[in-house]
Amino acid sequence: MKTSPHRNTSAIVDLKAIRNNIEKFKKHINPNAEIWPAVKADAYGHGSVEVSKAVSDLVGGFCVSNLDEAIELRNHLVTKPILVLSGIVPEDVDIAAALNISLTAPSLEWLKLVVQEEAELSDLKIHIGVDSGMGRIGIRDVEEANQMIELADKYAINFEGIFTHFATADMADETKFKNQQARFNKIMAGLSRQPKFIHSTNTAAALWHKEQVQAIERLGISMYGLNPSGKTLELPFEIEPALSLVSELTHIKKIAAGETVGYGATYETSEETWIGTVPIGYADGWTRQMQGFKVLVDGKFCEIVGRVCMDQMMIKLDKSYPLGTKVTLIGRDKANEITTTDVADWRGTINYEVLCLLSDRIKRIYK
Ligand SMILES: Cc1ncc(COP(=O)(O)O)c(C=O)c1O
């Protein structure tokens, strides 16, 4: 999809806030741990190239979700180590090896397919994935890990790391977390040898179980200034949201009582009403669920009325405003604020999803 630089809707990304948030995590966790930010999914919508370049001096490496995301960073001269967190197609391992991209090895079966490839494997670096209870990818018993290490050694593949991922680190009940921790520790204790990097923590685990942070902290959502638990658990220190979403009024009119607004005529005015049109819609990731929610105009909350269209939506104004008046969808305007988590709560989802759905069509402006 093409960005729309001439459209008056923008996501403003504060790279300094991202740097500040990383600095705060560095103070919070074990000083020997390296931060490898999760810049997958275009850095949660913030722009993976821009974010990676802006924080490169603060971090040990980067985490992405697939090979193409890693290649994009290499193409933009990001030279730090990169780890792909999902299993890739075995035929593509030569690309990873050539670009010094570390791969997750999710199973012995996958590694056997890799060694069948007639590729030069001596530059390949792998991190064995351990499924300690997430139920997604990774080995579940130590014998499989040890067979993988043996196979890697046979083909001179660099067994660089081993890691797991916690499913409930953002929840108050620690039962499942402790269970995963015990399973992972048991597997680590039975390994035939230990790699350079053992790692297990995402943001939530580092925030609320910082003793668990090992060689690498895979820091995602809170680097962008958001609480992984939404509004459930309190943060041990303050972080700054890095993204705000703004637009402008492109049309303003007064309509009579009894008129309807939008597809399906789902909103009917009960009195004469000022209606403003804002150029953002569900094709931008501003979903139809946003009907009935609010935006800020001149620091005041205004309701989103009628169905959100593909490219535009309508809001109820308290009075007439000039064309081009700023509309804040996420962020602060005067005394009031709408957070990404407020949007997520309204939609019944998580703040991660709100950010990741903001489409490429919305231009990003970097502060
Ligand atoms: C394996 C892995 N590690 C780390 C992260 C970063 O998670 P968070 O954004 O919660 O810090 C993710 C994100 O989903 C992940 O899949």
Side-chain angles (χ1 to χ4, degrees), residues 112-217:
K112 282 182 176 164
L113 291 173
V114 165
V115 299
Q116 279 168 23
E117 290 300 313
E118 288 176 9
E120 170 54 50
L121 296 175
S122 63
D123 287 329
L124 187 64
K125 294 178 179 159
I126 57 164
H127 290 221
I128 295 178
V130 175
D131 179 9
S132 57
M134 172 74 180
R136 192 165 62 180
I137 55 168
I139 57 104
R140 284 191 157 236
D141 59 65
V142 73
E143 287 73 33
E144 187 171 348
N146 284 334
Q147 285 175 50
M148 290 170 81
I149 296 169
E150 204 178 305
L151 193 59
D153 287 347
K154 185 171 164 197
Y155 286 86
I157 295 170
N158 181 347
F159 168 45
E160 184 183 48
I162 189 160
F163 74 100
T164 197
H165 189 50
F166 290 104
T168 59
D170 58 349
M171 289 166 63
D173 182 346
E174 298 185 353
T175 318
K176 170 87 186 173
F177 181 85
K178 292 208 163 119
N179 192 286
Q180 280 196 255
Q181 206 177 26
R183 281 205 213 172
F184 187 55
N185 289 345
K186 192 165 168 222
I187 290 178
M188 291 309 97
L191 282 187
S192 57
R193 72 183 170 83
Q194 303 227 322
K196 181 174 176 196
F197 296 121
I198 297 179
H199 51 114
S200 56
T201 51
N202 59 358
T203 298
L207 282 171
W208 295 299
H209 306 273
K210 68 175 179 174
E211 67 294 341
Q212 181 62 32
V213 179
Q214 294 154 304
I216 289 175
E217 158 56 13

Side-chain angles (χ1 to χ4, degrees), residues 38 40 44 63 85 136 163-165 201-204 217-222 224 228 352:
K40 60 198 180 107
Y44 297 32
C63 296
L85 294 171
R136 192 165 62 180
F163 74 100
T164 197
H165 189 50
T201 51
N202 59 358
T203 298
E217 158 56 13
R218 305 187 308 264
L219 179 64
I221 194 74
S222 289
Y224 307 107
Y352 297 67

Side-chain angles (χ1 to χ4, degrees), residues 248-254 274-277 295-302 315-327 333-334:
E248 290 176 4
L249 292 175
T250 51
H251 191 81
I252 299 111
K253 62 187 165 295
K254 190 196 263 181
W274 284 100
I275 297 289
T277 302
V295 297
L296 287 167
V297 177
D298 194 25
K300 285 171 274 187
F301 290 113
C302 302
I315 59 176
K316 183 178 169 187
L317 298 168
D318 58 326
K319 60 183 176 74
S320 178
Y321 288 90
L323 269 188
T325 298
K326 181 175 160 191
V327 177
D333 185 5
K334 297 188 175 160

